[in-house]
Amino acid sequence: MASLAILLSVLWLPFESSVDQASGKTAYSVQDLVRGLKAREAAIRNFQVKAELKVKSKSRYTGEYLQSANVQTTCRDNRTQRFWYRKIGQVYNSPGHPAHGGKEFFFDIEEFMAFDGERTRKLTWPRGTNAKPDEMLRSGTIYPGRKEWIVVDPGAFTTMLNNENISGYIDEVPLQHVLLTDSDRLVLAEIRRPRSPNDPPDQVETRQRLWIDVEHGMVVTRRESSLLRKGEREWIPVHASRLEDLFEAEKGIWLPREYSEESYQVLPGKEPYLVSAITAVLSDWSINRELRDSEFKVTFPEGTLVHDETSGATYKAKDVTDRRVAQSAKLSEELRDSFRQIRPEDPRASNPSFPYWRWTLSALGGIVLAVAAVKIPWKRRKKEPADG
């Protein structure tokens, strides 16, 4: 806690400002904002939060608005980018599939997904089934590197802007305007990217606005992206989000209890329309706790059909583990390569009458024996408890 207090003091003590003579309001520099935002970002090493989400989205097939709900608990380690989340939610089924009578609907699922620093694992099964649902209904996937399938990036609840720290974004794209809003504590930072002579004739001008609460730990409580079409005067919103009902989780660190966002589709010559609207009730916050490596592990229960994108293998869990599949594949490759290696001085290499079919049969036999050697001892192992 002492180090945290020192870190947060960096935000306040050197935070210089001046009074704008024309408006009489406090003015802040870009350096002020970047320094304050970096202090907040560094203060939150990791976090966990439960989000109860309601989603309104427009169907691209029927044009009607659909309603769905998700409950998602997420943990993220900002320093290592490890994460896990557990979700009870609804998955969209597009119309037209004969298996479902051509209907458009949502079906409920449960999902556990985690990135351990090397690979991402996802376990999904239908909502409402028992602890060991039919193995044909449960699926697992292993992704190389980091993958994340979520409705809303939980980083948006803390310090992130489209998976990027806001301070880095402001540093990279210089601010056009920094001014104090009518509120006593909100600073409006505006970033514009105007058209240039080399742009296409229909190129739009874009604007990003950030409302920063300087009295509540530099929380970006409102964000707005908009565009200005050529020949028009009014800015058209493309995306907007808000954080509300702030509370002080730790000294100097303020977090929201509510989140909302809206996204719009803007097409040339057409009126903008709402694509999706999301609201979230946020609870069960925790920050900067000690994280265990086991939290970021997904174990596939017996019978789960697993697809490993790192090797291309598909198998049922506990028949062969992904580790065993990798070992078997490596051993098979080594055996295959060993049979392909013929020394240049070997006269058989240039002998067209040499019976290569015998080598092929020998190689195949070796591969079969290698797989059997891996698989048979494994089946004798004691079963591991299911997780996830």
Side-chain angles (χ1 to χ4, degrees):
M1 289 300 296
S3 59
L4 177 62
I6 294 172
L7 179 63
L8 288 173
S9 69
V10 176
L11 189 157
W12 301 112
L13 294 181
F15 200 79
E16 299 178 357
S17 61
S18 59
V19 177
D20 182 75
Q21 298 299 323
S23 64
K25 296 178 180 180
T26 307
Y28 297 89
S29 69
V30 175
Q31 292 75 21
D32 293 334
L33 297 182
V34 171
R35 184 168 61 251
L37 290 168
K38 283 185 176 179
R40 173 180 171 82
E41 291 160 2
I44 303 177
R45 302 189 306 275
N46 63 69
F47 67 90
Q48 181 175 323
V49 62
K50 176 182 178 182
E52 298 175 69
L53 298 154
K54 292 184 179 179
V55 183
K56 175 183 177 182
S57 57
K58 188 172 185 178
S59 168
R60 63 177 178 175
Y61 299 99
T62 64
E64 301 293 328
Y65 283 99
L66 306 170
Q67 303 281 350
S68 62
N70 292 273
V71 179
Q72 180 175 298
T73 299
T74 306
C75 174
R76 177 178 289 175
D77 184 354
N78 289 333
R79 295 188 174 182
T80 65
Q81 289 302 301
R82 293 183 303 172
F83 74 84
W84 62 257
Y85 73 74
R86 294 181 181 271
K87 179 173 70 177
I88 299 174
Q90 295 179 300
V91 175
Y92 173 71
N93 186 84
S94 61
H97 197 289
H100 304 291
K103 295 181 179 180
E104 179 181 53
F105 66 97
F106 288 94
F107 58 93
D108 296 340
I109 65 161
E110 294 188 44
E111 190 169 272
F112 180 35
M113 193 167 184
F115 172 59
D116 61 7
E118 295 182 359
R119 293 186 295 179
T120 304
R121 296 169 182 253
K122 180 178 72 171
L123 174 65
T124 304
W125 66 97
R127 172 67 173 160
T129 55
N130 55 30
K132 291 186 177 180
D134 188 286
E135 62 185 39
M136 296 299 293
L137 301 178
R138 188 174 50 235
S139 63
T141 310
I142 301 175
Y143 303 94
R146 189 179 189 277
K147 301 281 185 180
E148 196 166 0
W149 311 111
I150 49 179
V151 180
V152 177
D153 183 353
F157 309 150
T158 57
T159 61
M160 305 291 283
L161 174 66
N162 298 330
N163 292 316
E164 180 182 10
N165 282 333
I166 292 177
S167 63
Y169 179 80
I170 292 178
D171 238 354
E172 181 180 346
V173 184
L175 292 178
Q176 297 292 321
H177 302 281
V178 179
L179 55 105
L180 191 69
T181 66
D182 292 337
S183 167
D184 291 335
R185 67 175 190 271
L186 292 180
V187 172
L188 169 60
E190 183 175 291
I191 304 168
R192 291 192 188 185
R193 187 164 286 167
R195 288 184 292 266
S196 70
N198 297 326
D199 288 338
D202 58 347
Q203 180 68 36
V204 298
E205 185 177 347
T206 61
R207 181 179 73 183
Q208 181 84 233
R209 282 184 161 186
L210 308 172
W211 281 260
I212 305 170
D213 192 333
V214 296
E215 290 189 2
H216 288 141
M218 300 298 288
V219 181
V220 179
T221 59
R222 182 181 169 191
R223 307 170 190 175
E224 181 185 280
S225 300
S226 54
L227 58 84
L228 181 65
R229 293 190 284 207
K230 188 175 182 179
E232 298 185 1
R233 294 184 177 182
E234 292 189 8
W235 289 87
I236 303 173
V238 177
H239 182 85
S241 63
R242 289 177 178 269
L243 300 179
E244 298 178 296
D245 194 7
L246 301 178
F247 72 100
E248 195 171 21
E250 289 186 6
K251 185 173 178 57
I253 301 179
W254 293 75
L255 297 170
R257 293 190 180 96
E258 295 180 12
Y259 172 84
S260 62
E261 72 170 49
E262 293 181 347
S263 297
Y264 296 86
Q265 179 69 63
V266 182
L267 299 174
K270 295 184 179 181
E271 287 294 318
Y273 64 86
L274 180 70
V275 175
S276 65
I278 300 174
T279 60
V281 176
L282 308 175
S283 61
D284 300 344
W285 278 100
S286 69
I287 60 174
N288 300 336
R289 65 180 178 85
E290 292 297 323
L291 300 176
R292 306 183 307 276
D293 291 341
S294 58
E295 294 183 51
F296 304 96
K297 177 183 178 182
V298 178
T299 300
F300 300 118
E302 183 176 359
T304 301
L305 188 63
V306 180
H307 176 64
D308 187 347
E309 290 194 356
T310 62
S311 64
T314 298
Y315 57 90
K316 283 187 178 180
K318 296 298 175 73
D319 284 345
V320 185
T321 65
D322 61 309
R323 176 171 168 269
R324 291 290 180 178
V325 168
Q327 289 177 339
S328 178
K330 182 178 180 181
L331 185 55
S332 298
E333 289 179 3
E334 291 174 351
L335 286 169
R336 180 193 61 197
D337 293 341
S338 67
F339 283 110
R340 284 180 176 174
Q341 292 175 357
I342 302 176
R343 295 181 179 178
E345 63 271 23
D346 193 330
R348 294 174 299 179
S350 58
N351 185 358
S353 64
F354 180 75
Y356 287 101
W357 60 271
R358 293 181 181 177
W359 281 63
T360 303
L361 289 178
S362 300
L364 291 175
I367 292 173
V368 170
L369 290 174
V371 174
V374 170
K375 191 171 181 180
I376 291 173
W378 184 89
K379 286 186 175 181
R380 296 173 181 170
R381 291 175 55 188
K382 186 177 180 180
K383 293 183 177 179
E384 299 175 359
D387 178 19

